[in-house]
Amino acid sequence: MHGDETRAALAELGPFFAVESAAAADAAGGGSGWRSMAELADGSGVLAARVAAVRGVLAAGGGQQPDAVEERVAASVTHLGLVARLLSPYLALAVLYGHVPGAVRLSDLRWQPALGGPYPLALPGLPGRAADPPAPAETGPAETGGVADAFAAAVLSGPVRELTAACADSRVSPHVLRGNTASALAGAARMVAAARPEAAARARALTGLLLAGGPLRGAGHLTPADAGGGHGAFRRRSCCLIYRAAPGHAGALCGDCALSRVPVRPG
């Protein structure tokens, strides 16, 4: 059934988590609109075209011409959107069911390059049945640490790393790109916790471990959870640069930005 129950459970979390089966996407054929995500990192121009499209959207939002927005700003925003969509369902599977895929690459994933919201995404190897969430007693530090290590190896060092390397060719700082990934991860965890309060502690624990070690070490941190057991806020140690897309580079900052205010241009 290609993980129908699992897909339904993910879809209940929101559009960033909804996925299709990669096998079903392949069976639908070339006319269905499904494409391999490997095209984003193969130098074919697909990523450059998406960056250009995002650049146009950002410019239009400020009543500007596309060349008024720096390419690196559009590339950073493109990277953040691509990674947030990819990370969200995988993080939900890890938090809610302790499921982490084996080795996965962009070539295993399918997408439809829509703009203006979460793009359609199809994943391979979804568990066939949405298991019950693990009991609190079954999710101690050792188990959570094992899930974090497996997630970092399979997802962060797999397709996320491939996307990040491709976007780095647009002269975006690695520091910014790591911050984008950390921000996407924290945002996904916050949405899981909001939709499934019983999983908030697991979401926070797993996110904290992923931010403390491996590829995301030093990219951001979670503030302490509130007295009511809330998820806690995330603060990245870089800026995604989107404020620079506005006229005069005077746009608003994101809520998790490392900057406390928009830099003032001299003169």
Side-chain angles (χ1 to χ4, degrees), residues 9 16 47 58 108 160 163-164 172 190 221 240 264:
F16 270 90
L47 178 60
L58 292 172
D108 301 317
V160 170
L163 278 176
T164 299
V172 187
R190 190 164 53 250
H221 66 279
C240 73
V264 177

Side-chain angles (χ1 to χ4, degrees), residues 22-251:
D26 288 342
S32 64
W34 289 106
R35 297 155 61 169
S36 170
M37 288 198 78
E39 66 184 5
L40 289 163
D42 65 4
S44 64
V46 172
L47 178 60
R50 189 167 183 86
V51 170
V54 170
R55 191 180 192 183
V57 170
L58 292 172
Q64 308 173 93
Q65 294 299 312
D67 60 4
V69 176
E70 299 158 275
E71 181 184 2
R72 70 188 180 108
V73 173
S76 174
V77 174
T78 299
H79 172 262
L80 181 55
L82 290 170
V83 169
R85 179 68 174 102
L86 191 159
L87 275 176
S88 295
Y90 278 129
L91 184 71
L93 289 170
V95 170
L96 297 178
Y97 311 118
H99 174 81
V100 179
V104 58
R105 298 183 61 81
L106 284 178
S107 57
D108 301 317
L109 312 180
R110 303 293 178 263
W111 77 314
Q112 294 179 10
L115 285 172
Y119 55 86
L121 177 66
L123 305 182
L126 290 170
R129 179 177 178 275
D132 292 330
E138 298 171 355
T139 54
E143 177 177 315
T144 304
V147 172
D149 289 344
F151 188 94
V155 182
L156 298 182
S157 295
V160 170
R161 182 177 181 178
E162 292 179 85
L163 278 176
T164 299
C167 290
D169 290 341
S170 296
R171 296 182 296 174
V172 187
S173 162
H175 185 53
V176 169
L177 295 174
R178 289 176 65 249
N180 286 350
T181 301
S183 179
L185 182 77
R190 190 164 53 250
M191 286 189 281
V192 171
R196 298 284 294 272
E198 75 279 6
R202 290 193 297 275
R204 179 180 172 80
L206 181 57
T207 304
L209 288 171
L210 290 168
L211 292 172
L216 297 183
R217 182 190 298 273
H221 66 279
L222 290 172
T223 60
D226 61 38
H231 185 68
F234 168 75
R235 178 59 60 89
R236 58 186 286 170
R237 294 196 171 99
S238 63
C239 171
C240 73
L241 308 177
I242 194 171
Y243 79 90
R244 297 179 64 86
H249 298 169

